């Protein structure tokens, strides 16, 4: 029997990496047969999962005369003489294609065109996108299949897919070539599907409670709203140095000054900081501001928002994260930073008169007291990070922070040296941060001026002095509660993902060394 693919079979050297050349030759052969290897469109009637659900009652060995058209990527193929079986994957799942020589060639004659069975099996490879039409058949082994009458090449793949049994075992390669990861890993696809649902659920919850999402600038003349090092860029026409935003806080507060009582923004944030399993230079957060509210109201909001999203997406408020059960059922524990540090270290920072006394006590307790922590409050935070943070597995509101590390939070109404602030810790990491917002413009100016001194002394993460924001406060901002939630870390929890790179589709990576082999060099055909 003559095979059209004999040309490339004779010329191909199996020991050379000429995979792409072979497939380019097949694309040319398709054109010679009158089939465009890169189609414009294809009309589908069903997705794979819908067919599996709708026809699960079809008995083994029987056919159902229902005409269907499906399209997807060929992920495996077996050719056995006059029969072939391909597995086709679309976004919803997979379905088998039952390819019978007699049926395909009979339909080709009937249509006075089309391609033969041999042409189909020679020219369609794993990785190709194809569209097929036919009827349904349940094989003797119980596999629902489309018994193909006609097919069309939709996109000829020129690069091989990873081995179907091993996938992408190189973790960095999964992040660099996410498209391959998504092809071979249903778990990765489910992670990003769930991420999208989480984001939609959060927006819906806020919208239903009267919050308005209003976009704020990414490019800013003064990056503020957090203690973080910004990315610097430049606007050529205006000859103006600009920063990528490190938070949406200050502009959302301007909106509250302008009369919006409930606002939020869910969007990308950029911080020129280190990279780890919990940090990426660009990440997603949602910031929420509610007039006439305080940090207690924000705790209640956070608890209800996250537990509702968890229940909506997972049908449960209990999840397994890295082999630990985390219970999101309200109410969550609330404890002061002082209480938690005392429980872990037996050190009561409220009793220390000055920085040196606190530092000596920390050293005696086996803790580090870094020189950059230049106050009792900063040392309290150091003790918390060293001894408490990693132990907070269940959702815990850590409340009442030192004023020194909270330049935008209101002074505590009854505790000197503290502010009305909480951070939500889950699985040993911060997931949310909130304040009773500082609305006193004089107090705010004094604190930002202290931050400016730290910046001038070399602290690249110190908060800048935003004169326009201070002017807005002088116009008058009502009592307000503000909240920020890290979307990526929440998605990590709800998808059981150990690294933030697992939940960011295209994380920032260091450029590959030119001496390293190309990403595709280890893929099997």
């Amino acid at each position: 029997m003559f095979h059209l693919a004999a040309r490339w079979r004779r010329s191909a050297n199996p020991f050379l990496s000429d995979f792409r050349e072979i497939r380019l030759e097949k694309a040319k052969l398709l054109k010679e047969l009158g089939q465009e290897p890169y189609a414009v469109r294809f009309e589908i009637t069903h997705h794979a999962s819908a067919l599996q659900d709708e026809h699960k009652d079809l008995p083994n060995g029987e056919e159902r005369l229902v005409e269907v058209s499906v399209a997807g990527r060929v992920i495996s193929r077996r050719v056995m003489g006059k029969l072939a079986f391909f597995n086709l994957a679309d976004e919803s799942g997979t379905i088998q294609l039952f390819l019978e020589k007699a049926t395909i060639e009979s339909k080709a004659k009937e249509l006075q065109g089309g391609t033969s069975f041999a042409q189909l099996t020679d020219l369609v490879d794993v990785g190709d996108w194809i569209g097929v039409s036919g009827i349904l058949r349940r094989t003797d082994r119980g596999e629902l299949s489309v018994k193909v009458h006609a097919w069309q090449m939709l996109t000829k793949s020129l690069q091989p897919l990873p081995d179907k049994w091993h996938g992408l075992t190189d973790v960095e390669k999964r992040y660099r070539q996410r498209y391959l990861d998504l092809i071979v890993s249903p778990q990765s696809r489910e992670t990003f599907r769930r991420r999208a649902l989480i984001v939609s659920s959060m927006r819906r919850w806020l919208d239903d409670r009267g919050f308005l999402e209003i976009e704020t600038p990414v490019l800013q003349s003064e990056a503020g709203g957090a203690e973080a090092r910004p990315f610097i860029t430049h606007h050529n026409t205006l000859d103006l140095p600009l920063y990528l935003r490190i938070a949406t806080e200050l502009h959302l507060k301007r909106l509250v000054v302008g009369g919006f009582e409930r606002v939020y923004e869910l969007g990308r944030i950029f911080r020129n900081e280190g990279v780890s399993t919990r940090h990426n230079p660009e990440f997603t957060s949602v910031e929420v501001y509610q007039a006439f509210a305080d940090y207690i109201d924000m705790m209640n909001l956070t608890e209800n928002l996250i537990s509702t999203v968890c229940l909506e997406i997972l049908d449960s408020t209990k999840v397994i994260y890295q082999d630990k059960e985390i219970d999101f059922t309200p109410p969550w524990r609330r404890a002061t930073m002082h209480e938690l540090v005392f429980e872990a270290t037996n050190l009561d920072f409220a009793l220390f008169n000055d920085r040196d006394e606190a530092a000596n006590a920390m050293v005696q307790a086996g803790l580090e007291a870094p020189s950059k922590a230049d106050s009792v409050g900063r040392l309290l935070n150091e003790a918390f990070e060293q001894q408490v943070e990693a132990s907070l597995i269940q959702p815990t509101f850590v409340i009442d922070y030192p004023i020194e590390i909270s330049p935008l939070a209101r002074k505590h109404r009854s505790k000197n040296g503290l502010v009305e602030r909480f951070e939500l810790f889950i699985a040993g990491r911060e997931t949310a941060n909130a304040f009773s917002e500082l609305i006193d413009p004089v107090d705010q100016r004094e604190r930002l001026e202290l931050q400016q001194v730290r910046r001038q002394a070399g602290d690249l993460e110190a908060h800048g002095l935003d004169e326009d924001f201070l002017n807005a406060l002088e116009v008058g901002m009502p009592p307000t509660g503000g909240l920020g939630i890290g979307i990526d870390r929440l998605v990590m929890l709800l998808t059981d993902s150990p690294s933030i790179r697992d939940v960011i589709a295209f994380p920032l990576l260091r450029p590959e060394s030119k001496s390293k082999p190309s990403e595709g060099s280890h893929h099997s055909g």
Side-chain angles (χ1 to χ4, degrees), residues 158-170:
L158 301 184
Q159 295 288 344
L161 300 183
D163 182 84
K164 68 175 182 177
W165 302 115
H166 300 99
L168 287 177
T169 54
D170 183 331

Side-chain angles (χ1 to χ4, degrees), residues 169-187:
T169 54
D170 183 331
V171 174
E172 184 171 305
K173 191 177 293 183
R174 289 178 50 217
Y175 303 144
R176 288 191 186 280
Q177 297 186 321
R178 180 68 79 185
Y179 42 91
L180 292 179
D181 179 39
L182 295 173
I183 291 169
V184 302
S185 173
Q187 182 178 348

Side-chain angles (χ1 to χ4, degrees), residues 43-56:
E43 191 74 36
I44 65 170
T45 61
H46 295 81
H47 283 93
S49 62
L51 288 176
Q52 300 283 8
D53 291 340
E54 292 171 16
H55 301 280
K56 54 189 175 185

Side-chain angles (χ1 to χ4, degrees), residues 219-220 232-243:
L219 293 173
Q220 302 179 353
I232 303 172
T233 186
H234 189 272
H235 192 289
N236 291 334
T237 301
L238 299 178
D239 191 21
L240 184 68
L242 294 171
Y243 303 92

Side-chain angles (χ1 to χ4, degrees), residues 441-460:
V442 176
D443 186 2
Q444 183 66 90
R445 178 175 289 278
E446 290 173 354
R447 289 206 234 165
L448 291 184
E449 286 175 348
L450 289 174
Q451 288 283 308
Q452 193 72 0
V453 171
R454 297 183 68 87
R455 175 182 280 195
Q456 291 169 355
D459 186 348
L460 298 175

Side-chain angles (χ1 to χ4, degrees), residues 351-499:
L351 300 179
F352 298 134
N353 296 312
D354 56 40
R355 190 263 175 202
D356 290 341
E357 184 181 357
N360 290 334
M362 287 181 66
V363 172
Q364 290 176 11
L367 305 180
E368 295 182 15
S371 58
K372 69 176 182 178
D374 56 5
S375 68
V376 174
R378 291 184 182 276
L379 286 172
L380 169 65
N381 187 60
E382 282 287 338
F384 171 80
E385 291 181 352
Q386 291 178 39
Q387 291 295 309
V388 179
E389 187 172 314
S391 69
L392 300 177
I393 304 303
Q394 299 304 318
T396 304
F397 291 114
V398 180
I399 65 175
D400 301 347
Y401 273 59
I403 193 170
E404 298 95 323
I405 62 170
S406 311
L408 297 168
R410 185 187 191 102
K411 289 179 181 177
H412 200 284
R413 66 196 78 178
S414 62
K415 299 177 182 178
N416 290 333
L418 301 180
V419 295
E420 296 191 351
R421 173 186 178 186
F422 75 76
E423 288 187 315
L424 170 64
F425 282 84
I426 310 172
R429 62 175 66 107
E430 176 207 343
T431 303
N433 185 24
F435 313 143
S436 295
E437 298 297 339
L438 178 54
I439 62 174
D440 179 343
V442 176
D443 186 2
Q444 183 66 90
R445 178 175 289 278
E446 290 173 354
R447 289 206 234 165
L448 291 184
E449 286 175 348
L450 289 174
Q451 288 283 308
Q452 193 72 0
V453 171
R454 297 183 68 87
R455 175 182 280 195
Q456 291 169 355
D459 186 348
L460 298 175
E461 296 186 357
H463 203 292
L465 192 65
D466 189 329
E467 287 290 350
D468 183 72
F469 170 66
L470 291 170
N471 186 69
L473 285 188
E474 292 194 358
V475 171
M477 178 175 167
T480 299
L483 163 70
I485 299 175
I487 300 298
D488 308 281
R489 291 184 182 181
L490 181 60
V491 174
M492 288 171 65
L493 290 167
L494 301 188
T495 59
D496 194 16
S497 299
S499 171

